[in-house]
Amino acid sequence: QVQLVESGGGLVQPGGSLRLSCAASGRIFSLLTMGWYRQAPGKERELVATISSAYSTNYADSVKGRFTISRENAKNTVFLQMNSLKPEDTAVYYCNGKYQYLDYWGQGTQVTVSS
C-alpha cells in the first residue's frame, strides 16, 4: 500500500512561483510513474505532468516551459516546480502514482494564483 501526501500549495501572485512536494510511503516508489494532476472548479481533472521510473517526463501543453517535474527516489518524493504562474493555474493539485494495475492518489493541495 502506498500513501501520498502533497504539500507546498498556497496563494501566489501572477508571475510568481511555487514548489509542490508529494511524499510517498511504501517500498515501491522507484517503480511508480508519478504524476501531478489538477482540477479547477467546475472542470474535469487534467494531467499536468508525469515522470516515469526511468525519469522520462511528459507535460501538458499549457504548462510546458513553466513547470518542471522531478523525483528523488532516495526520499520517496516527487516535486512540481511551478514558475510564471497564471490565474488559470488555480486548482487543486493532486499527486498520483501508477504501476501496472496499481493507482494511488493523494488528497490534493490548493494552489491559488491571484493578485
Side-chain angles (χ1 to χ4, degrees):
Q1 185 71 12
V2 173
Q3 291 185 329
L4 303 176
V5 179
E6 303 98 334
S7 61
L11 173 65
V12 63
Q13 292 187 342
S17 298
L18 280 176
R19 189 191 197 204
L20 304 183
S21 299
C22 172
S25 64
R27 299 182 178 183
I28 65 168
F29 179 80
S30 63
L31 300 177
L32 298 172
T33 289
M34 298 301 299
W36 288 96
Y37 292 72
R38 65 187 182 187
Q39 187 167 18
K43 295 188 177 181
E44 293 188 354
R45 191 173 297 189
E46 64 175 3
L47 172 70
V48 175
T50 61
I51 184 166
S52 73
S53 58
Y55 294 84
S56 175
T57 59
N58 179 56
Y59 296 92
D61 288 343
S62 59
V63 307
K64 281 181 181 176
R66 300 188 299 122
F67 291 11
T68 302
I69 189 170
S70 60
R71 65 190 299 161
E72 192 168 342
N73 287 349
K75 295 185 178 180
N76 277 17
T77 303
V78 63
F79 304 97
L80 185 68
Q81 178 66 44
M82 304 186 294
N83 298 329
S84 302
L85 282 160
K86 304 175 181 180
E88 50 263 44
D89 294 317
T90 295
V92 177
Y93 284 70
Y94 296 91
C95 179
N96 174 261
K98 289 185 174 66
Y99 178 65
Q100 297 183 345
Y101 61 89
L102 301 173
D103 192 5
Y104 303 103
W105 289 91
Q107 292 186 322
T109 185
Q110 177 70 46
V111 172
T112 302
V113 185
S114 175
S115 54

